[in-house]
Amino acid sequence: MKGYDQQRQKALAKRARVVVFALLGLLVAAFFRAQVSRSSDWLLRSESNRLRSLTLPAPRGIIRDRTGRPMADNIPGYSVSILPAQVDSMLATLNRLREHMEIGEERFQRLEEQVRARGTRPLIVSMDASFDEVAAMEERRTAFPQLLIETRPKRRYPAGRVGAHIVGSVGEINEEELSSEEYEGVEPGRIVGRSGLEAQYDALLQGTPGLRYVEVDASGRIVGSFGGIRTLTEEPGSDIDLNVDLELMEWIHHIFPDSLGGSVVVLDVETGGVLALYSAPAYDPNVFAGVVDPAEWARLERDPVTPLYHRAVMGTYPPGSPWKLATAAIALETGAITPTERMPVPCTGSFRYGNRVARCWDEEGHGSLTLAGAIQHSCNVFFYQAGLEVGLEQLLERANRMGFGDRCGIDLPNQATGTFPADVSFWEERFGARATEGEVLNLAIGQGPNDQSPLKMAQFVVALARDGSAPSPTLYRSAPAEEAWRLEISEESLDAIREGLRRVMGPGGTAHLSSLEHFEVLGKTGTAQSVPGRETHAWFTGMAGRFGEAPDIVVVALVEYGGSGSTVAAPLATKTADYFLRGEYGIPRDTIQTLLEYYNAGRSTQPWVIREGR
Amino acid sequence: MKKSLLPWLGHLPFLAPVLMLSLFGVAMIYSAGVLNIPSPVTQGLWLRQSIVLGGSIVILFAVSRVPVRWFDWTAMPVYIVAVGVLAATLVIGTGAGTAEGVRSFLAIPGFRFQPAEAAKLATVLVVARLLARRDSPPQYLRDLLVPGLLVGLPLVLVLGQPDIGTAMAFVGIFFAVIYWAGTPWPLIVFAASPGVALILSFNTIAWSIGFILVLVGLYLYRYRLYLVESLSVVVANLAAGALAQPLWNSLHDYQRNRLLVFLDPELDPRGDGWHLIQSKVAVGSGGILGKGFTEGTQKRLDFLPEQHTDFIFSVVGEELGFVGTSLTLLLFGYLFFKMIQMAEESQNLFAGLFVFGIMGVWLTHVVVNIGMTVGVVPITGIPLPFISYGGSFLLTSWLAAAIVVAMASDKS
């Protein structure tokens, strides 16, 4: 062969070896750098590549009534989420999902924004998918590789409409809250309390979510164990035991006139605990258990009977005659009257003050009355004079101290502030004129610029049923019972007021027919003017217990546009009290409860009074 | 001289690493098929590769006994056929001339036969044959013209497919063969200068410095060059600078992106940077000892692209760690040293040129393929000899090994 030269080949081979050694050495160096020097960085990267952290929602605490019956608990629901992946692929999956489940246009657009804004977290498409939807998607598992279908605790409200206003509702945390300080570090999709006790005790009920990691492949689908690796176990929220008696609430719901709105409040005299806080009409809270359906919400909001409105704490109504008890308490407190004193002017059906003639409701007149008699007959003329004795300024000051211009402090996030003038400047601001002393006439009989919620009235009656001190009403049994205010009033004076209330229920009293066989009820009916052209609001405020003993409970009933307090509100309240007290004292319950019902049923021809000695 | 009945027996030091790499390849192809979500496509590939390997060994026995002059005679016809097939591929395969078009042309069902693989072998043969016939080593640039054209023709054809990786293998052939033919290194540098200028021209200053260095070199080497040659080098360098932009524009988007993300993978981490990043993550997370055979998470979870072909070495890196990668590179290094030794000891230039040329092809493949898995070389679709899955590539690689044995056994 030509060109063969061994010497040259030796030299070439030598140099070639250097080149090969250099090139491969360079590669070894590159691998050394990647695999030995910087390996931990890459290892971290490969972990974050394959692992996705998912939160394990903690079940919310259970809300129970005083007997342990759940008013809010949890059932397994299905949530549908899309695991984070490329924005385009997430959007495509979201689009295809619409074929299998209902996603409203509005929600769909919000989800799209969420995908674009936050691509690294699972996107919650639905918190409450139906079983059919989930089944349909599970069947097409391969078409939805990035879909994450989880069971997650879903709120259920076994008490339904009856507990709706108290328990309130929950909803998915919104964008605004997510960026707020209060919810720092909270992941989207967290369920938070929106109203009622769910909102009030959200921190207690919330619990701590757990954390788990699932392994995903390059296209974002979960591989291996679907449950993933649990690194943090979720802690369920604390359970909450209420003072509320659900059975009693159900009874109230049963007897409440179903075409009317209103409220019945039952408070425990001893503790101020709320035994019942009924509001009608109500709504079914289970529609809000998952993601609030905006259409359903709007429908409820637009509903002319306002079922979302919690009348017991949010509704304020002119209190009418029951407020005369407040006038009496203030007059006694200030010493303007004494329990046995009669007013200078006896009732003749009207009362002349300056150039104004103020009427009593009974044109016949009540004659000369003591406090108890005035309460029994609800005599306006007596209270006009009592009010004048107290004076406008003092009446306002005392009434405000009793919280009539304030919230009553129940453990609910939303409660109405009573409407009551803070001082005399109210008239100047409202009407541009100085208040005349005559304004006291209206206020003294529960008219004028005075609107109170049923709960506020109940709290006031609690003070009368006790020693004059009024604790804040509480739903949660472990909530601290704080004394909100106290009447500076003697036991004798209280007795005088109670005597008046007792007479209301006695023969000749406005609520006599609503008196009970087994229990003593002391109460005051009220028929308060509502808007012109409509029926009056029917009130009953009272207390009940065993004969000859301190009252156990306070009951307030308000029926909007219900008409007469004695025929509509009084039986409602006393039947409520009877139901509860029979349960407390082991007396068999009876559907025939009030005196009127006994008469109608032919069980009795005699008023209860005769039986009082039993 | 008595011809050995089993010529390969004497070349066990060369064949042992070849066989070891091939068996290692089968194992890695098996591992590449072990996914968390099993794919029927990749699962059985190791078995097919084993069958091809068996066939390759049979071919080795046969071909290693063929006399060298047979290769001498057949080199040119084989080259012509191979280039013809390559050209046909471009024409027949609509558009870019895909491998699918070739498969229907060759009508070998179940095999993705790439004519470029055969063309590489034929090119090494024909250029080795040409240079072996010279009386003396190339002294002038014009001596490199014909070899350059012989390599350039298939190079341009595969570039037209377009397949940058295989084109680089042809560049490897050219320089390996002219180097072993004894071409003085300044000539090699001048020959390479337009290509280097092409790369440098992405930066005007870099290209200018390169151009000045070429001019200085030409001046120092002026007595050994014809004026025409010097002018050609200057013109070629200028042309490379001028053509860079149009050439860049003629590239496919994905090719341009691959080059760009090589410079900065985070440029498009979800798109073209994806392959590079995921490969680096796989290799880097393997650490010193690796995650264990078949246990690589990047691979199992499908983060690695083309894990049984072009990116098989990422699987090696992830599962066997630095120990695995450095041992593999050591084995390749041993193989290449062995081949250099065989070329050195060969008794005729044709054999030496061929052995060295094949070494050049494989070295190019190894550096480009393995380099891209750690991001020191841009990503180009080029398989790793003996290890990557691919029937025609394994077969032609063994065929080349067989011819190497045949050539080295020839003591005439």
Side-chain angles (χ1 to χ4, degrees), chain B residues 326-343:
Chain B
S326 53
L327 281 179
T328 311
L329 284 167
L330 197 70
L331 204 53
F332 272 118
Y334 174 76
L335 176 66
F336 297 151
F337 272 45
K338 211 71 224 164
M339 290 174 82
I340 292 168
Q341 191 193 341
M342 286 162 88

Side-chain angles (χ1 to χ4, degrees), chain B residues 171-217:
Chain B
V171 174
I173 292 172
F174 177 71
F175 285 103
V177 176
I178 64 166
Y179 170 79
W180 196 255
T183 311
W185 67 266
L187 278 191
I188 296 178
V189 169
F190 289 135
S193 67
V196 175
L198 195 64
I199 295 163
L200 291 181
S201 62
F202 292 109
N203 183 321
T204 314
I205 295 169
W207 176 84
S208 305
I209 293 169
F211 187 65
I212 290 163
L213 287 177
V214 167
L215 291 179
V216 170

Side-chain angles (χ1 to χ4, degrees), chain A residues 252 256 262-266 322 454 457-458 524 526 537-542 554-560 565 568-574 576:
Chain A
I252 297 167
F256 199 92
S263 170
V264 177
V265 178
V266 183
M457 291 308 287
K524 180 83 197 77
H537 295 313
W539 279 98
F540 182 88
T541 64
V554 160
V555 188
V556 167
L558 166 92
V559 182
E560 286 177 349
V568 177
L572 192 58
T574 58
T576 298

Side-chain angles (χ1 to χ4, degrees), chain A residues 1-4 6 8-13 15-17 19-21 23-24 27-28 30-32 34-36 39 42-43 45-46 49-50 85-86 215-219 221-224, chain B residues 36-37 132-135 137 179-180 266 270 277-278 281 283-285 287-288 291 297-298 301-303 313 317 321-322 325 329 333 337 340-341 343-344 346 348 356 363 370-371 373-374:
Chain A
M1 276 271 174
K2 301 167 188 172
Y4 172 69
Q6 194 154 14
R8 194 188 68 213
Q9 278 187 195
K10 271 197 169 4
L12 288 175
R15 268 182 270 154
R17 284 193 184 98
V19 172
V20 169
F21 185 82
L23 285 173
L24 297 187
L27 287 178
V28 171
F31 276 93
F32 182 85
Q35 298 190 290
V36 180
S39 179
W42 293 119
L43 196 61
R45 185 108 182 229
S46 99
N49 239 351
R50 70 187 184 96
Q86 283 102 321
E215 202 170 22
V216 294
D217 71 1
S219 58
R221 78 185 88 184
I222 293 182
V223 296
Chain B
N36 275 36
I37 295 174
R133 279 161 188 257
R134 292 185 58 84
D135 292 323
Y179 170 79
W180 196 255
E266 301 294 340
R270 286 272 172 201
I277 290 171
Q278 295 307 336
V281 168
V283 168
S285 65
I288 296 173
K291 296 175 184 170
T297 56
Q298 287 280 107
L301 300 169
D302 215 17
F303 284 95
F313 204 72
F322 181 64
T325 52
L329 284 167
F337 272 45
I340 292 168
Q341 191 193 341
E344 186 184 0
S346 68
N348 72 65
F356 198 84
L363 180 65
I370 294 182
T373 63
V374 271

Side-chain angles (χ1 to χ4, degrees), chain B residues 86-105 160-162 252:
Chain B
L86 264 186
T89 307
L90 265 186
V91 178
I92 288 168
T94 47
T98 58
E100 276 69 27
V102 178
R103 189 164 64 179
S104 62
F105 179 73
Q161 281 190 358
H252 284 249

